[in-house]
Amino acid sequence: MRPTLADVAAKAGVSASTASLAFSGSGPVSDATKERVLAAAAELGYGGPDPRARSLRRGRSGIVAVVLAERVRAAFLDPVNIQMLDGITEGIAPLGAGLLLLTDTGEEGGNAVGIESAPVDAVVLIGCSPRVGRSVEVLRRRGIPSVAIEGAVGEDIPEISIDNREATRRGAEYLRDLGHTDVAIVTLPFDAARTRGPLTPELERGSTADTASERLRGARDVFPEISGRVAATSSIEEGREAGKVLLTVPAHRPTAIIAQSDLLATGVVLAAEELGLSVPGDLSVLGFDGIRVDGLQHDLTTLEQPSVDKGRAAGEAVVSMLAGEPPASRCFTSTLHVGDTTAPPR
Amino acid sequence: MRPTLADVAAKAGVSASTASLAFSGSGPVSDATKERVLAAAAELGYGGPDPRARSLRRGRSGIVAVVLAERVRAAFLDPVNIQMLDGITEGIAPLGAGLLLLTDTGEEGGNAVGIESAPVDAVVLIGCSPRVGRSVEVLRRRGIPSVAIEGAVGEDIPEISIDNREATRRGAEYLRDLGHTDVAIVTLPFDAARTRGPLTPELERGSTADTASERLRGARDVFPEISGRVAATSSIEEGREAGKVLLTVPAHRPTAIIAQSDLLATGVVLAAEELGLSVPGDLSVLGFDGIRVDGLQHDLTTLEQPSVDKGRAAGEAVVSMLAGEPPASRCFTSTLHVGDTTAPPR
DNA sequence: GGGGCGGCTCGAATCGATTCGACCGTAGAA
DNA sequence: TTCTACGGTCGAATCGATTCGAGCCGCCCC
């Protein structure tokens, strides 16, 4: 058996309470006693108070969960997510808590630790679908503060978002003002199944992804008849594929493409160039996010969103909720960055 | 007060033990009773057993910690780390555990949850310095299985590594066989302070980074007099800066540069091209890792290491240690991938 | 010398669930 | 009819630490 605090206390000739005081540092303990306890601990090979017991008693575990909508590798492919993660880290810094990575991939398999069974103090949901509703209900019951970034999951949980629709509209207006009328779109996936393919009314109607829907609405505000492709995820590769399909219909080739993420936009640019089209000469491309895509030769025209701020806001939100303050949603605004991937149509 | 299992049991008219059985599913409970308990729980707004209490009693928390050597954002900049993370996820899948992200950034500040105070079942250290030695000692005392990836941290903790020295040597030999004699190197940082600058004997001597040291040795095996620059981190930007410095000394410009990571190598390629040098015509560049750098026009000549496998092996190692099996180290081998960034010198 | 006060230490309750062995009633077997 | 077996339930101990109020002791001051 591994030694416990009680063993250490016994060895040091003090009570368990005193030994606890000696370890936690707080509370009045004479130096002599403290030293005796520490010595006893060292001798017994005691590794300090068990975090499990401590967290039960204290009611805090020092862990904040981050729930991703997709598997870890996929999520981290997009720098936006990493930036948000970084922001969250900053936001919860006063808590000194660790980040527990969880994924919202359908039901939890068997013994899998999910949102419901992890000893966490708070939860940040990133881009989660309403599918997590049931889990969120459990969190509410347990009184675990939760915040959602981009994704409405429940009434009383605050949401950190951006002006997806308005931002996209501004971008679309910019394209229109340049003279574009023939515009296509490459969207993020609409459902949990991440169906790839043409943009159909069914897909739109069955959408569980607010971000994709809102950005699409913004585009429709300016180009009501816009059509396009739905990507399976936010990646350069997906963008390239979608771009190829959209651009190899010469009869009706668009003069501009709105992509719902910079990664997708980058893919579209690459697809265009592979097809011998010049950007922005033959094709204008508008992105979304404002990340710097490593290696892309262009300065993407895009809607810059404050990813790190979003993460930080989410972190700060759970901190204040943990402190008993009421939850507060927050909406950031994006700004149009005009780069060199947009120009008037030929 | 939030309801507890006892409250639910009372409401349902059963004992706490029976209620527990009803929730955990295991154990013989009549359907009628189970239903009554669940109904009582629903009525009371009970959110299921408290994970904290459960983990204390069971002795397992369902959480595996991953300790990174640098802050989250920095670590995830390098795809190698993400790949390893993904591998770890696969490796520990049978555990169904969540991944707790922790960083080894010096001492733990105040209330910060560190390796020592987090309720984890196992720990995977990634590229950590011996600085974590003290924490590892605590883990040993607590009997928490630990594994290190690339970084010797203690005698009895198994290490998952690759043949850093031999691999680099093979790469260097390849360069030598191509005819290069004037070769420089861009290394990963040698110390926790991440000092950037020229490669000096002091830096080398004070190294706490095995990976950088071993790869350097491998290069020295072939080019004993090799000199170069130390980067502050593995990134394209750092590689570019180092490359610029190395290549703007025309009097003694190297014909080949060995970079200790693909990100650094990419930066070197970009630096060369910015200076009007052609790769591989004027300069050969050798990388390390075998990641596909998004957007780089070249097919990097590099030493491919099995990152995902490393992560998976680490995950499997902690799983087997958790099952009581003795720890086992493992060393993978890297293979030279010849791309289009190396050629004989002019 | 007595009262009071302050600093340290101790007991005991508590956090919330899990689990093992005991117990009970009934049904089937001998 | 009695014994066995078994499904179902309950009590009580346990996991390991924290915390609050009480108590003890010594010292200072009147």
Side-chain angles (χ1 to χ4, degrees), chain B residues 14-15 17-18 28 30 33 56-57:
Chain B
V14 299
S15 74
S17 13
T18 305
S30 73
T33 311
L56 168 60
R57 182 65 239 238

Side-chain angles (χ1 to χ4, degrees), chain A residues 224-250:
Chain A
E225 305 298 328
I226 200 168
S227 68
R229 307 276 306 173
V230 180
T233 184
S234 176
S235 75
I236 299 182
E237 206 42 49
E238 284 285 329
R240 188 198 309 247
E241 280 189 44
K244 273 202 177 131
V245 175
L246 291 174
L247 296 171
T248 44
V249 194

